[in-house]
Amino acid sequence: MSQILRRPRRLRRTDAIRRLVRETRLDVSDLIWPLFVHAGPDPIEVASMPGVLRHSLGSLVRSCAEAEILGLPAVAIFPSISPSLKDPQGAHGLSQDNILYQAVRAVKKECPGLLVITDVALDPYTSHGHDGLLSPDGNTVDNDATVEVLCRLAVLEAEAGADIVAPSDMMDGRVRAIREALDAARFLDTAIMSYAAKYASSLYGPFRDAVGSKIGKNAISKSTYQMDPANRLEAKLEVRLDEIEGADIVMVKPASYYLDIIREVRDIAAVPVAAYQVSGEYAQIHAAARLGWLDYQATRDESLLAIRRAGADMILTYFAREVAEGISRDQGSR
Ligand code: PBG
Protein backbone atom coordinates (compact mmCIF):
# COMPACT_ATOMS: atom_id res chain seq x y z
CA MET A 1 0.00 0.00 0.00
CA SER A 2 1.18 3.45 -0.88
CA GLN A 3 2.44 5.74 1.88
CA ILE A 4 1.73 8.88 -0.11
CA LEU A 5 -1.59 10.41 0.83
CA ARG A 6 -1.62 13.48 -1.35
CA ARG A 7 -0.66 13.12 -5.01
CA PRO A 8 -0.73 16.54 -6.71
CA ARG A 9 0.36 14.90 -9.96
CA ARG A 10 -3.21 13.63 -10.40
CA LEU A 11 -4.17 17.08 -11.63
CA ARG A 12 -1.30 17.20 -14.13
CA ARG A 13 -2.03 13.96 -16.00
CA THR A 14 -3.56 15.22 -19.20
CA ASP A 15 -3.93 18.40 -21.13
CA ALA A 16 -7.64 18.48 -20.28
CA ILE A 17 -7.13 18.28 -16.53
CA ARG A 18 -4.27 20.78 -16.64
CA ARG A 19 -6.55 23.21 -18.48
CA LEU A 20 -9.29 22.59 -15.94
CA VAL A 21 -7.14 23.57 -12.94
CA ARG A 22 -5.06 26.29 -14.61
CA GLU A 23 -4.97 29.42 -12.41
CA THR A 24 -3.71 32.01 -14.86
CA ARG A 25 -4.54 32.64 -18.48
CA LEU A 26 -3.30 35.09 -20.99
CA ASP A 27 -6.08 36.80 -22.89
CA VAL A 28 -5.80 38.98 -25.98
CA SER A 29 -7.62 41.65 -23.99
CA ASP A 30 -4.69 41.85 -21.55
CA LEU A 31 -2.18 42.93 -24.16
CA ILE A 32 -1.03 46.37 -25.30
CA TRP A 33 1.14 46.59 -28.41
CA PRO A 34 3.89 49.24 -28.40
CA LEU A 35 4.62 50.61 -31.89
CA PHE A 36 7.22 53.03 -33.24
CA VAL A 37 6.58 55.59 -35.93
CA HIS A 38 8.92 57.83 -37.90
CA ALA A 39 8.40 60.44 -40.57
CA GLY A 40 10.05 58.47 -43.40
CA PRO A 41 8.13 56.91 -46.29
CA ASP A 42 9.14 53.31 -45.48
CA PRO A 43 9.24 51.17 -42.36
CA ILE A 44 12.74 50.42 -41.02
CA GLU A 45 13.54 47.46 -38.75
CA VAL A 46 15.11 48.16 -35.35
CA ALA A 47 18.34 46.13 -35.40
CA SER A 48 18.25 45.17 -31.72
CA MET A 49 14.54 44.26 -31.82
CA PRO A 50 13.95 41.59 -34.48
CA GLY A 51 10.55 41.98 -36.11
CA VAL A 52 9.97 45.46 -34.65
CA LEU A 53 9.69 48.34 -37.11
CA ARG A 54 9.90 52.06 -37.03
CA HIS A 55 6.70 52.40 -38.99
CA SER A 56 5.80 54.87 -41.66
CA LEU A 57 2.40 56.46 -41.13
CA GLY A 58 0.90 54.07 -43.65
CA SER A 59 2.33 50.88 -42.19
CA LEU A 60 1.46 52.07 -38.67
CA VAL A 61 -2.18 52.49 -39.56
CA ARG A 62 -2.22 49.08 -41.28
CA SER A 63 -0.69 47.43 -38.20
CA CYS A 64 -3.26 49.10 -35.97
CA ALA A 65 -6.08 47.87 -38.17
CA GLU A 66 -4.68 44.33 -37.87
CA ALA A 67 -4.35 44.73 -34.11
CA GLU A 68 -7.99 45.72 -33.87
CA ILE A 69 -9.12 42.72 -35.92
CA LEU A 70 -7.09 40.44 -33.65
CA GLY A 71 -8.94 41.89 -30.66
CA LEU A 72 -6.04 43.78 -29.11
CA PRO A 73 -7.62 46.57 -27.06
CA ALA A 74 -4.78 49.09 -27.23
CA VAL A 75 -1.57 50.24 -28.86
CA ALA A 76 1.10 52.52 -27.42
CA ILE A 77 2.67 54.77 -30.05
CA PHE A 78 6.23 56.11 -29.71
CA PRO A 79 7.78 58.56 -32.15
CA SER A 80 11.29 58.26 -33.58
CA ILE A 81 12.29 61.82 -34.35
CA SER A 82 14.95 62.88 -36.83
CA PRO A 83 18.07 64.15 -34.96
CA SER A 84 17.87 67.41 -36.91
CA LEU A 85 14.58 68.21 -35.13
CA LYS A 86 15.91 67.66 -31.62
CA ASP A 87 17.13 70.37 -29.26
CA PRO A 88 17.86 70.60 -25.52
CA GLN A 89 14.29 71.83 -24.85
CA GLY A 90 12.58 69.14 -26.88
CA ALA A 91 10.62 71.94 -28.58
CA HIS A 92 9.46 69.67 -31.39
CA GLY A 93 7.29 67.86 -28.85
CA LEU A 94 5.11 70.96 -28.76
CA SER A 95 4.75 71.18 -32.51
CA GLN A 96 1.19 70.13 -33.32
CA ASP A 97 2.21 68.57 -36.59
CA ASN A 98 4.99 66.36 -35.33
CA ILE A 99 4.88 62.72 -36.39
CA LEU A 100 3.40 61.49 -33.11
CA TYR A 101 0.33 63.72 -33.29
CA GLN A 102 -0.06 62.94 -36.99
CA ALA A 103 0.12 59.24 -36.15
CA VAL A 104 -2.43 59.45 -33.35
CA ARG A 105 -4.86 61.37 -35.58
CA ALA A 106 -4.40 58.88 -38.43
CA VAL A 107 -4.87 55.82 -36.20
CA LYS A 108 -7.93 57.21 -34.42
CA LYS A 109 -9.47 58.10 -37.77
CA GLU A 110 -8.95 54.62 -39.21
CA CYS A 111 -9.51 52.61 -36.00
CA PRO A 112 -11.70 54.68 -33.68
CA GLY A 113 -12.37 51.73 -31.38
CA LEU A 114 -8.73 50.93 -30.76
CA LEU A 115 -7.32 52.63 -27.66
CA VAL A 116 -4.30 54.80 -28.34
CA ILE A 117 -1.78 55.34 -25.55
CA THR A 118 0.97 57.95 -25.80
CA ASP A 119 4.01 58.50 -23.61
CA VAL A 120 4.26 61.83 -21.85
CA ALA A 121 7.99 62.49 -21.76
CA LEU A 122 10.51 64.58 -23.63
CA ASP A 123 13.10 61.93 -24.49
CA PRO A 124 12.05 61.41 -28.13
CA TYR A 125 12.55 65.13 -28.72
CA THR A 126 15.58 66.19 -26.64
CA SER A 127 19.09 66.24 -28.11
CA HIS A 128 20.48 64.97 -24.78
CA GLY A 129 17.95 62.10 -24.60
CA HIS A 130 16.64 62.95 -21.14
CA ASP A 131 12.95 62.77 -20.33
CA GLY A 132 12.91 66.36 -19.16
CA LEU A 133 14.52 69.79 -19.24
CA LEU A 134 17.99 70.34 -17.84
CA SER A 135 18.58 72.94 -15.15
CA PRO A 136 20.37 76.12 -16.31
CA ASP A 137 23.72 74.77 -15.03
CA GLY A 138 23.10 71.55 -16.95
CA ASN A 139 23.78 69.42 -13.88
CA THR A 140 20.37 67.97 -13.28
CA VAL A 141 16.98 67.32 -14.85
CA ASP A 142 14.74 70.08 -13.51
CA ASN A 143 11.64 68.51 -11.99
CA ASP A 144 9.20 71.41 -11.84
CA ALA A 145 10.11 72.99 -15.18
CA THR A 146 9.73 69.56 -16.77
CA VAL A 147 6.31 69.01 -15.21
CA GLU A 148 5.06 72.21 -16.87
CA VAL A 149 6.11 70.98 -20.31
CA LEU A 150 4.69 67.52 -19.63
CA CYS A 151 1.30 69.11 -19.01
CA ARG A 152 1.43 70.79 -22.41
CA LEU A 153 2.50 67.52 -24.08
CA ALA A 154 -0.34 65.63 -22.42
CA VAL A 155 -2.93 68.16 -23.62
CA LEU A 156 -1.55 68.06 -27.18
CA GLU A 157 -1.68 64.26 -27.13
CA ALA A 158 -5.25 64.34 -25.89
CA GLU A 159 -6.14 66.90 -28.59
CA ALA A 160 -4.67 64.58 -31.22
CA GLY A 161 -6.99 61.86 -29.90
CA ALA A 162 -5.00 59.82 -27.39
CA ASP A 163 -7.34 57.88 -25.10
CA ILE A 164 -4.73 57.31 -22.42
CA VAL A 165 -1.66 59.40 -21.68
CA ALA A 166 1.23 57.68 -19.98
CA PRO A 167 3.74 59.83 -18.13
CA SER A 168 6.95 57.81 -18.31
CA ASP A 169 9.41 60.37 -16.99
CA MET A 170 9.35 59.74 -13.19
CA MET A 171 9.21 63.44 -12.30
CA ASP A 172 7.57 64.12 -8.92
CA GLY A 173 4.07 65.52 -8.88
CA ARG A 174 3.43 65.14 -12.60
CA VAL A 175 0.33 62.96 -12.37
CA ARG A 176 -1.62 65.55 -10.45
CA ALA A 177 -0.38 68.39 -12.65
CA ILE A 178 -1.29 66.47 -15.82
CA ARG A 179 -4.74 65.61 -14.45
CA GLU A 180 -5.38 69.27 -13.71
CA ALA A 181 -4.14 70.35 -17.13
CA LEU A 182 -6.30 67.76 -18.91
CA ASP A 183 -9.35 68.74 -16.88
CA ALA A 184 -8.76 72.46 -17.48
CA ALA A 185 -8.70 71.69 -21.23
CA ARG A 186 -11.93 69.65 -20.75
CA PHE A 187 -10.29 66.29 -21.50
CA LEU A 188 -12.17 64.80 -18.58
CA ASP A 189 -12.22 61.31 -20.06
CA THR A 190 -8.59 61.08 -21.08
CA ALA A 191 -7.13 58.51 -18.70
CA ILE A 192 -3.69 58.56 -17.10
CA MET A 193 -1.60 55.40 -17.06
CA SER A 194 1.29 56.34 -14.84
CA TYR A 195 4.68 54.72 -15.15
CA ALA A 196 4.57 54.66 -11.35
CA ALA A 197 7.43 52.31 -10.50
CA LYS A 198 9.86 52.73 -13.36
CA TYR A 199 13.35 51.51 -12.63
CA ALA A 200 16.65 52.82 -13.99
CA SER A 201 17.13 49.61 -15.91
CA SER A 202 19.75 48.31 -18.32
CA LEU A 203 16.92 46.77 -20.30
CA TYR A 204 15.84 49.91 -22.18
CA GLY A 205 18.82 49.85 -24.58
CA PRO A 206 17.02 48.55 -27.68
CA PHE A 207 14.16 51.05 -27.16
CA ARG A 208 16.70 53.87 -27.07
CA ASP A 209 18.08 52.52 -30.37
CA ALA A 210 14.56 52.61 -31.77
CA VAL A 211 13.82 56.20 -30.80
CA GLY A 212 17.43 57.44 -30.86
CA SER A 213 17.48 58.60 -27.24
CA LYS A 214 20.83 57.14 -26.16
CA ILE A 215 22.37 59.18 -23.36
CA GLY A 216 25.95 60.36 -23.96
CA LYS A 217 28.79 59.06 -21.78
CA ASN A 218 29.40 62.04 -19.49
CA ALA A 219 25.80 63.13 -19.15
CA ILE A 220 23.51 63.07 -16.13
CA SER A 221 22.27 59.61 -15.27
CA LYS A 222 18.63 58.62 -15.57
CA SER A 223 19.18 57.20 -12.07
CA THR A 224 18.57 60.74 -10.80
CA TYR A 225 14.87 60.25 -11.62
CA GLN A 226 14.19 56.59 -12.40
CA MET A 227 14.12 54.19 -9.45
CA ASP A 228 17.04 52.25 -8.02
CA PRO A 229 16.65 48.55 -8.96
CA ALA A 230 17.56 47.72 -5.36
CA ASN A 231 14.41 49.31 -3.96
CA ARG A 232 11.08 47.74 -3.15
CA LEU A 233 9.41 49.91 -0.53
CA GLU A 234 9.93 52.94 -2.71
CA ALA A 235 7.82 51.33 -5.43
CA LYS A 236 4.92 51.17 -3.01
CA LEU A 237 5.39 54.83 -2.14
CA GLU A 238 5.43 55.82 -5.81
CA VAL A 239 2.27 53.85 -6.49
CA ARG A 240 0.46 55.32 -3.50
CA LEU A 241 1.41 58.85 -4.53
CA ASP A 242 0.32 58.34 -8.12
CA GLU A 243 -2.99 56.89 -7.02
CA ILE A 244 -3.62 59.88 -4.75
CA GLU A 245 -2.57 62.24 -7.55
CA GLY A 246 -5.14 60.72 -9.87
CA ALA A 247 -3.56 57.90 -11.86
CA ASP A 248 -6.23 55.67 -13.42
CA ILE A 249 -3.77 52.83 -14.04
CA VAL A 250 -0.33 52.33 -12.49
CA MET A 251 2.56 50.60 -14.19
CA VAL A 252 5.61 48.63 -13.13
CA LYS A 253 8.52 48.63 -15.55
CA PRO A 254 10.46 46.53 -16.53
CA ALA A 255 8.42 43.39 -15.91
CA SER A 256 10.35 40.11 -15.73
CA TYR A 257 13.10 41.18 -13.33
CA TYR A 258 10.48 42.92 -11.18
CA LEU A 259 7.82 40.27 -10.65
CA ASP A 260 8.02 40.77 -6.88
CA ILE A 261 7.23 44.45 -7.36
CA ILE A 262 4.28 43.65 -9.64
CA ARG A 263 2.89 41.33 -6.95
CA GLU A 264 3.29 43.89 -4.19
CA VAL A 265 1.82 46.66 -6.26
CA ARG A 266 -1.15 44.46 -7.21
CA ASP A 267 -1.71 43.73 -3.54
CA ILE A 268 -1.87 47.39 -2.48
CA ALA A 269 -3.29 49.25 -5.49
CA ALA A 270 -6.99 49.92 -5.96
CA VAL A 271 -6.53 50.65 -9.67
CA PRO A 272 -5.55 48.32 -12.54
CA VAL A 273 -1.86 47.43 -12.70
CA ALA A 274 0.06 47.37 -15.97
CA ALA A 275 3.50 45.85 -16.51
CA TYR A 276 5.83 46.78 -19.35
CA GLN A 277 7.83 43.92 -20.80
CA VAL A 278 10.51 46.21 -22.17
CA SER A 279 12.71 46.12 -25.23
CA GLY A 280 15.62 44.38 -23.47
CA GLU A 281 13.36 41.57 -22.29
CA TYR A 282 12.17 41.10 -25.86
CA ALA A 283 15.72 41.25 -27.23
CA GLN A 284 17.02 38.68 -24.72
CA ILE A 285 14.46 36.11 -25.75
CA HIS A 286 15.12 36.69 -29.44
CA ALA A 287 18.88 36.56 -29.01
CA ALA A 288 18.88 33.30 -27.06
CA ALA A 289 16.45 31.75 -29.53
CA ARG A 290 18.62 32.80 -32.47
CA LEU A 291 21.57 31.05 -30.89
CA GLY A 292 19.40 27.99 -30.51
CA TRP A 293 19.78 28.16 -26.73
CA LEU A 294 16.13 28.66 -25.81
CA ASP A 295 12.88 27.67 -27.44
CA TYR A 296 11.46 30.93 -28.76
CA GLN A 297 7.75 30.38 -28.43
CA ALA A 298 7.85 28.53 -25.12
CA THR A 299 10.08 31.17 -23.51
CA ARG A 300 7.99 34.01 -24.90
CA ASP A 301 4.73 32.55 -23.64
CA GLU A 302 6.16 31.63 -20.23
CA SER A 303 7.52 35.15 -19.77
CA LEU A 304 4.09 36.67 -20.36
CA LEU A 305 2.25 34.13 -18.25
CA ALA A 306 4.66 34.80 -15.36
CA ILE A 307 3.98 38.52 -15.56
CA ARG A 308 0.23 37.84 -15.43
CA ARG A 309 0.63 35.40 -12.54
CA ALA A 310 2.65 38.00 -10.62
CA GLY A 311 -0.44 40.21 -10.77
CA ALA A 312 -0.32 42.39 -13.86
CA ASP A 313 -3.80 43.11 -15.20
CA MET A 314 -2.37 44.18 -18.53
CA ILE A 315 0.99 43.85 -20.26
CA LEU A 316 2.70 46.12 -22.73
CA THR A 317 4.70 43.76 -24.92
CA TYR A 318 6.32 43.83 -28.34
CA PHE A 319 5.07 40.24 -28.67
CA ALA A 320 1.43 41.38 -28.46
CA ARG A 321 0.48 40.88 -32.08
CA GLU A 322 2.00 37.44 -32.60
CA VAL A 323 0.74 36.20 -29.24
CA ALA A 324 -2.75 37.49 -30.04
CA GLU A 325 -2.58 35.59 -33.31
CA GLY A 326 -1.53 32.44 -31.47
CA ILE A 327 -4.32 32.77 -28.92
CA SER A 328 -7.02 33.22 -31.58
CA ARG A 329 -5.63 30.25 -33.50
CA ASP A 330 -5.68 28.04 -30.36
CA GLN A 331 -9.22 29.09 -29.51
CA GLY A 332 -10.31 28.37 -33.07
CA SER A 333 -8.87 24.86 -32.91
CA ARG A 334 -10.68 23.87 -29.71
C1 PBG B 1 11.03 56.99 -22.18
C2 PBG B 1 10.64 55.59 -22.26
C3 PBG B 1 11.55 54.53 -22.23
C4 PBG B 1 10.79 53.37 -22.43
C5 PBG B 1 9.44 53.73 -22.55
N1 PBG B 1 9.37 55.13 -22.44
C6 PBG B 1 13.02 54.48 -22.13
C7 PBG B 1 13.75 55.28 -21.16
O1 PBG B 1 13.26 55.58 -20.07
O2 PBG B 1 14.89 55.63 -21.47
C8 PBG B 1 11.40 52.02 -22.50
C9 PBG B 1 10.63 50.98 -23.17
C10 PBG B 1 11.42 49.79 -23.58
O3 PBG B 1 12.62 49.62 -23.27
O4 PBG B 1 10.82 48.96 -24.26
N2 PBG B 1 10.35 57.85 -21.42
Side-chain angles (χ1 to χ4, degrees):
M1 242 225 358
S2 161
Q3 299 300 310
I4 302 174
L5 280 176
R6 300 299 317 253
R7 291 186 179 270
R9 283 185 57 185
R10 250 172 235 138
L11 302 186
R12 300 177 199 145
R13 270 177 48 240
T14 65
D15 181 59
I17 201 156
R18 286 193 297 272
R19 279 196 287 124
L20 190 66
V21 301
R22 188 157 295 148
E23 297 175 38
T24 309
R25 278 190 178 77
L26 199 61
D27 195 88
V28 175
S29 303
D30 306 326
L31 303 177
I32 298 168
W33 194 19
L35 294 164
F36 300 105
V37 63
H38 76 147
D42 299 307
I44 304 174
E45 196 171 15
V46 181
S48 48
M49 300 179 76
V52 171
L53 303 170
R54 287 184 203 88
H55 284 280
S56 64
L57 272 182
S59 72
L60 177 79
V61 171
R62 281 193 295 282
S63 291
C64 288
E66 288 162 14
E68 199 176 18
I69 290 169
L70 283 168
L72 288 167
V75 294
I77 305 177
F78 297 92
S80 164
I81 303 292
S82 148
S84 65
L85 293 169
K86 298 187 184 187
D87 62 27
Q89 280 72 43
H92 191 60
L94 300 174
S95 153
Q96 265 185 348
D97 267 320
N98 79 31
I99 190 67
L100 175 68
Y101 305 131
Q102 286 184 40
V104 173
R105 284 193 292 265
V107 170
K108 287 308 292 185
K109 186 165 173 225
E110 207 60 41
C111 315
L114 183 70
L115 296 168
V116 169
I117 304 173
T118 49
D119 247 35
V120 186
L122 279 174
D123 58 301
Y125 309 109
T126 51
S127 41
H128 43 70
H130 279 291
D131 292 32
L133 300 173
L134 306 190
S135 59
D137 63 10
N139 290 330
T140 180
V141 172
D142 184 332
N143 192 86
D144 298 13
T146 298
V147 169
E148 282 179 34
V149 187
L150 295 177
C151 291
R152 295 170 67 193
L153 284 182
V155 170
L156 286 167
E157 292 172 358
E159 269 170 9
D163 300 281
I164 302 177
V165 297
S168 64
D169 52 285
M170 292 301 281
M171 297 301 123
D172 294 331
R174 90 285 204 215
V175 171
R176 176 169 176 193
I178 289 170
R179 183 71 270 157
E180 286 173 357
L182 289 171
D183 287 357
R186 303 308 291 165
F187 290 111
L188 304 178
D189 287 330
T190 306
I192 299 178
M193 172 191 280
S194 166
Y195 286 66
K198 175 173 178 178
Y199 286 87
S201 173
S202 58
L203 295 168
Y204 307 147
F207 175 97
R208 292 177 191 163
D209 290 340
V211 305
S213 63
K214 277 260 180 316
I215 305 273
K217 271 245 172 317
N218 301 312
I220 312 158
S221 158
K222 287 207 176 188
S223 301
T224 59
Y225 44 100
Q226 298 177 349
M227 282 180 53
D228 184 338
N231 292 357
R232 179 174 71 82
L233 298 175
E234 199 184 339
K236 299 208 264 189
L237 173 63
E238 285 284 4
V239 165
R240 260 187 241 119
L241 289 174
D242 284 0
E243 261 190 320
I244 293 168
E245 288 185 33
D248 299 285
I249 299 171
V250 292
M251 189 202 293
V252 175
K253 175 185 174 193
S256 296
Y257 286 6
Y258 296 85
L259 296 178
D260 56 329
I261 307 296
I262 295 174
R263 166 50 52 201
E264 290 206 66
V265 166
R266 182 54 290 168
D267 287 347
I268 62 161
V271 296
V273 175
Y276 199 143
Q277 183 183 51
V278 301
S279 57
E281 298 175 66
Y282 178 86
Q284 285 179 332
I285 292 172
H286 269 281
R290 274 195 180 183
L291 288 166
W293 291 354
L294 289 175
D295 179 85
Y296 174 73
Q297 210 170 302
T299 311
R300 178 196 73 190
D301 293 351
E302 185 178 337
S303 72
L304 291 167
L305 193 67
I307 296 165
R308 276 286 286 154
R309 191 201 58 235
D313 300 296
M314 61 191 87
I315 307 174
L316 292 95
T317 172
Y318 301 97
F319 294 122
R321 186 220 144 106
E322 59 184 74
V323 169
E325 264 170 349
I327 294 173
S328 5
R329 222 180 298 122
D330 285 355
Q331 282 168 350
S333 69
R334 272 222 174 92

